[in-house]
Amino acid sequence: MTVPETAEKIKSMEIRGARRIARAAAEALRDHALSLQAPNNAAFRQDMEKAAALLVSTRPTAVSLPNAVHYVMAGLGAAKTADDAKSGVIHRAEQFIQSSQHAVKRIAGFGARHIRDGDVILTHCNSEVALGCMIEAHQQGKQIEVFATEVRPRNQGHITIRTLNDAGIKTNFIVDSAVRSFINDIDLVIIGADAVTVNGAVVNKIGTSQVAHTAAEARVNVIVAAETYKFAPRTVIGELIEIEERPPAEVLADEIARTLPNVKVRNPAFDVTPAEYIDLIITEQGAIPPQMAYVIIREYLGWEIGEFNLAGGLPVGINGD
Ligand code: RI2
């Protein structure tokens, strides 16, 4: 798939989910590098940077996207020729794709250990890693039951219940506003993340903070499954995560909205759950309390503060792995 095609599919959410977005961007950059016939290294770099910027501009919240792009673009490194730059980018893209697959498996393994036989689990939205934990526990023979929310307005819950159904897991499907009615039946909440900030706040699908708040009130543990590339390095220097606001028509049909001139439809796609409502974040490097998010950013993301391009735009590349 070309870079513009991938960018369009990410924007329209045909490709969605923080990990899938990141992976699709890495694949698009790899394929672009492969097909690019640049006359020299500078031209190659310039073209790749344009492609990277287009991909990053598609959705602002899921930090997995700029992190993946940053990782792949670091393959340009100190290359002196277009050929070196090309193989650097391809190598980094392949590495990212592989390590992302590996991360999902490791998180599933770690997460499953937190699920006990007989647990009733609540999940919100459609997170590949969160589902991976539940499926792993199920495959280990633990009898689990899941409550999955609908997830207005894009109904990602439909994808979640299909996956759970196909895995043979007993599942209850509820509207988002029914969470509090069922919270006393729940043993554990497991969700994914689009971004984790330096202070351990988790940015995830709209409604997540309500779920976590409700869980905290009922003393139900909340576990977040998130690969390290969902941690947001720029929050170290005070940058806030931008919350994407999507088209009003996702919430209210245009023909109805047109008849309501005094009504403005708001459609934020994500919200922020503070660290105090999260018990554990499970990464491929192990489980951490949210307060340790800084360590993940510092130790595993491989970004140094000096690498941040403070003027905005893409971060500058780094050398090596
Ligand atoms: P995985 C999704 O965002 C959801 O918020 C989900 O929890 C998160 O990405 C992580 O998904 P959207 O693309 O990477 O549906 O765990 O807006 O699959």
Side-chain angles (χ1 to χ4, degrees), residues 10 13 15-22 59 61-62 64 104 123-132 151 154 156 159 191-195 202-206 208 225-227 229-230 244 246 269-271:
I10 293 175
M13 290 179 70
I15 299 172
R16 57 144 298 279
R19 184 183 96 87
R20 285 202 182 85
I21 292 170
R59 291 193 75 193
T61 304
S64 52
V104 174
T123 193
H124 181 61
C125 202
N126 176 254
S127 158
E128 204 182 358
V129 260
L131 282 168
V151 195
R154 296 291 300 235
Q156 285 96 327
I159 311 170
I191 47 165
D194 291 84
V202 169
V203 183
N204 194 48
K205 183 55 51 196
I206 191 78
T208 299
E227 305 93 301
Y229 55 79
K230 290 175 181 163
E244 173 184 11
R246 294 191 56 84
F270 303 98
D271 65 18

Side-chain angles (χ1 to χ4, degrees), residues 47-285:
D47 198 299
M48 286 306 300
E49 278 168 5
K50 239 176 78 188
L54 176 64
L55 289 164
V56 168
S57 71
T58 51
R59 291 193 75 193
T61 304
V63 78
S64 52
L65 176 59
N67 278 352
V69 168
H70 175 265
Y71 189 89
V72 174
M73 293 295 280
L76 293 172
K80 299 261 183 305
T81 66
D83 277 351
D84 280 355
K86 183 183 281 222
S87 51
V89 165
I90 294 167
H91 174 65
R92 296 279 294 189
E94 293 293 354
Q95 252 186 355
F96 180 84
I97 294 161
Q98 256 184 30
S99 64
S100 139
Q101 274 161 343
H102 184 62
V104 174
K105 282 202 191 109
R106 281 194 38 116
I107 293 173
F110 295 153
R113 294 186 197 166
H114 289 270
I115 299 172
R116 294 156 306 183
D117 192 23
D119 269 356
V120 179
I121 299 163
L122 172 71
T123 193
H124 181 61
C125 202
N126 176 254
S127 158
E128 204 182 358
V129 260
L131 282 168
C133 299
M134 296 173 232
I135 292 170
E136 176 63 27
H138 173 74
Q139 286 173 349
Q140 288 173 2
K142 294 176 185 170
Q143 297 291 325
I144 60 167
E145 184 174 341
V146 177
F147 277 71
T149 50
E150 182 183 27
V151 195
R152 280 275 292 151
R154 296 291 300 235
N155 298 326
Q156 285 96 327
H158 290 206
I159 311 170
T160 295
I161 56 171
R162 184 151 302 280
T163 303
L164 290 165
N165 175 77
D166 294 352
I169 296 174
K170 190 173 169 197
T171 301
N172 305 274
F173 185 49
I174 59 172
V175 296
D176 301 338
S177 44
V179 166
R180 200 156 182 262
S181 298
F182 289 108
I183 198 67
N184 291 325
D185 300 335
I186 305 295
D187 298 301
L188 186 63
V189 173
I190 306 182
I191 47 165
D194 291 84
V196 181
T197 71
V198 68
N199 61 353
V202 169
V203 183
N204 194 48
K205 183 55 51 196
I206 191 78
T208 299
S209 67
Q210 283 177 185
V211 171
H213 190 260
T214 303
E217 183 199 37
R219 304 180 73 84
V220 173
N221 282 344
V222 175
I223 289 182
V224 175
E227 305 93 301
T228 51
Y229 55 79
K230 290 175 181 163
F231 285 64
R234 285 163 173 244
T235 57
V236 174
I237 52 166
E239 209 169 272
L240 300 173
I241 302 282
E242 185 184 336
I243 301 292
E244 173 184 11
E245 189 147 352
R246 294 191 56 84
E250 288 184 350
V251 175
L252 192 68
D254 277 340
E255 358 11 318
I256 301 172
R258 265 197 296 275
T259 65
L260 304 166
N262 297 320
V263 174
K264 183 177 180 189
V265 176
R266 303 295 307 268
N267 184 19
F270 303 98
D271 65 18
V272 182
T273 302
E276 63 196 278
Y277 295 125
I278 296 154
D279 294 282
L280 210 56
I281 303 179
I282 299 182
T283 78
E284 72 277 17
Q285 302 294 345

